[in-house]
Amino acid sequence: MKSDVSALELRGLTKRFDRLAVDALDLTVRTGEFYALLGPNGAGKTTTLRMVAGLLRPDAGSVSVLGIDALADPVTAKQVTAWVSDEPMVYDKLTPLEYLAFVAGLWGIDPAVSERSAHDLLVSLSLEPHLHERCEGFSKGMRQKVALAGALVHDPRLIILDEPLTGLDAVSARHVKGLLCDRVRSGCTVIMTTHILEVAERMADRIGVIASGRLVAEGTLTELRQQDGRNDTSLEDMFIALVDTEAAAA
Amino acid sequence: MSSSAALTWFARHEIRLAWREALAMLTAGRKGRKRTAIIGLLVFAAIMHLPAYAVIGRFADLQEPLDKSTLIVITATILLAWALMLSQAIESVTRVLYARADLDLIMSSPVPLASVFSVRIAAIALSVIAMALLLSTPFVDVLVIGGGWRWLSAFGVVVAIGLTAAAAAIAVAVLLFRLIGPSRTRLVAQILAAVIGAGFVIALQVAAILSYGTLSRFAVLTSDAAAVFAPALDSLVWWPARAALGDGEALLWLLAGGLVLLGAVMAIFSPRFADTVVSASANSATAHQTPRPKAFHAGSRQQALRWKEFVLLRRDPWLVSQSLMQLLYLVPPALLLWKSFADSDAAMVLITPVIVMAAGQLAGGLAWLTISGEDAPDLVATAPIAASRVTRAKIEVVLIAIAVIFAPLLLALACAAPLQAAVTASGIVVAAASATAIQLWFRVQARRSQFRRRQTSSRFATFAEAFSSIGWAATAVLALALPIAGLISGMITAAIVAVTWMISPRRD
């Protein structure tokens, strides 16, 4: 289910720490799209997504989430957005069910809806035997699954994931990918950073490559190949070539 | 690399880690403050010679033969130092047992684990001794300057008791592990470590107050009753005291005994230490909970936040014990006040500052836990709730907790003295609000497990919080006894809080 309405629109987004992390970035992600944001370490991917999620305030530029000005009205924008970081942050002393109930409470979701949804999500992520155990003994992969379930329990329309597959085993990774694809099919938008290029190649509708805080290439896999001038090249080869070119230019 | 070379290298690595950890404690983990921290430490050590002189300067001339009272005082002081070292050693051992990331690397290395853990046990002993030597240096210096070189043997006593403290800590931790299991050992050992050091001083002070009406623990130690129950003058019990006074033979025996004890503990426990560590690492805390998720969305979003904070507090007895430890230190002065003025009308009034002070201290700890100690900051920051409402919900948690803890005391007080209860309640509110505000102004993002190190993140905030609590406690009692003085005290304390706000990294 694709739409011409933008799920995310960034205009001139800029953030500087010690150096320029995001450099007047323009980016548009359409509703119902699976968008993969790629880039080398330190390219500005996470900083960009943290600004979209409302975790960082940009120095300049605008962020529009489903038509909502996220800088002027962050609470409304957050209501429809979910954020999952690469470092799963869950409460050690809560059980997965309690964690999801807390998230649902924060998003003001009807308990009758969220309880069933929480249970189903945790079961689909193979966490059923651990529903009533505290998270303190969980592995990183299990914590990542709890955090992901937390992000999905309030039925967001824009899901932002920063390296969500880190630490997951093959079976769990497949579950997560399946869940995300289901969400996209139901009209949700997913923006994901990943270093696993195969995942981007297989799952993403469109791919954006970011380097030195700027978008250096964007399009479907076919469009990227056309930009590269070769039809048989892999995403990995294109990515490395783009990043090398950008590094040489810098 | 040969086996012995590997162990030497590992020992150097352990010492380097211990040094960096100590440095991080001094510099609050900030880069570029190493030189300042070392200079600060040296200045602090120099200044410490003054209180050291005031406390033990008069003992420098002590000569054999000593009477029982003097031997009791010296022995109790050594016992106190030992208790503090034991406390530090237990904490170190707990860290070794449960610091999982470090252990994964070590245990996957091709070095005999028994040898590795022997080195680590020795490193624990070394770090405990080093810290004790550092702290005892001003005191020993004063004794050496006033009483001669013989007092240098006190350093030997510090080394000897450091060895035995490390040995005892390892034995206690491993035995606890066998008796009550890995997850409980962690909690019990941490609480033990916190209570042992403070408990000894507080127990002596309480005994002194109840028996002699003074805060000085020396009152108990120098009493006739203590002398009657003490062992004979030629008893082995007095060897540490005699060694400290320069008895070379006693010192050698003590050092030998300490080394033998630590060696025995290393021989007995090192081979098993690896198994214990494996069990601790593999232990997944599978605490099952009665499902209570409904409570999280029984009301508003702020209610979900408040409920989360209460659940986290209730489920972490270690954190609660750490917070309540601060109240333990108020027991002796409270007892002293009560006993000193028991027969006068002032007795009731004097309970007010103790309660107000306790409320301020407790609120500071709780405020850190709720405001700074957020384990899922991204989740809360991305939730559709304004940051100001998140902060308000967290502050409400602190104030509710303080209200629940102090309401019974206030109710009892209200029955006896309604006006005093009203003033005390006001003092509690102002002290708790001030401490919470200071934590809010100086908030930093941290994990709750870093609670014990919260005071190193901003020493200014720590001192401001303490001065504010003391100031409001004084204001409350003066408001009851001498209202004009209470007003002045209140203005001074308010000024302290205002200055703290002006200096703080102000937030929106």
Side-chain angles (χ1 to χ4, degrees), chain A residues 50 53 55 75 78-79 83 89 91-95 98-99 101-102 105-107 111 114-115 132-134 136, chain B residues 285 287-289 291 293-294 297 301 304 308 311-312 315-316 374-384 447:
Chain A
R50 287 181 75 82
L55 294 166
V75 171
K78 285 173 180 177
Q79 184 68 50
W83 159 260
M89 292 178 178
Y91 299 102
D92 286 350
K93 302 289 176 190
L94 296 188
T95 68
E98 287 172 335
Y99 176 77
F102 170 60
L106 275 184
W107 261 260
S114 66
E115 273 173 34
H132 302 298
E133 288 172 16
R134 289 184 192 172
E136 58 198 342
Chain B
H288 285 257
Q289 300 298 326
K294 278 194 174 65
H297 38 213
R301 294 167 201 220
K308 182 265 289 183
V311 169
L312 294 185
R315 289 189 185 165
D316 205 331
E374 172 60 63
D375 283 350
D378 281 6
L379 173 71
V380 176
T382 55
R447 288 191 64 79

Side-chain angles (χ1 to χ4, degrees), chain A residues 122-202:
Chain A
L122 292 170
V123 169
S124 71
L125 288 166
S126 313
L127 285 170
E128 193 172 13
H130 311 287
L131 293 181
H132 302 298
E133 288 172 16
R134 289 184 192 172
C135 297
E136 58 198 342
F138 285 10
S139 67
K140 188 185 174 189
M142 287 164 77
R143 296 165 80 90
Q144 185 70 359
K145 287 196 269 186
V146 173
L148 184 71
L152 299 179
V153 76
H154 56 87
D155 207 12
R157 291 168 63 198
L158 172 63
I159 305 170
I160 305 166
L161 307 109
D162 189 14
E163 295 286 347
L165 304 178
T166 309
L168 293 186
D169 59 55
V171 177
S172 303
R174 173 166 282 195
H175 282 149
V176 170
K177 286 186 273 186
L179 265 177
L180 294 176
C181 287
D182 286 347
R183 294 284 166 147
V184 171
R185 273 194 288 275
S186 67
C188 188
T189 308
V190 171
I191 304 174
M192 182 172 91
T193 70
T194 181
H195 287 299
I196 310 169
L197 299 184
E198 191 200 355
V199 170
E201 200 166 353
R202 290 177 61 178

Side-chain angles (χ1 to χ4, degrees), chain B residues 421-460:
Chain B
V423 171
T424 308
S426 307
I428 288 172
V429 170
V430 179
S434 300
T436 307
I438 291 167
Q439 285 300 331
L440 187 64
W441 299 332
F442 286 86
R443 66 184 181 272
V444 286
Q445 194 179 301
R447 288 191 64 79
R448 296 167 79 86
S449 53
Q450 293 171 313
F451 180 69
R452 278 194 69 186
R453 293 193 173 184
R454 75 189 173 96
Q455 282 148 337
T456 62
S457 62
S458 172
R459 288 192 179 79
F460 187 84

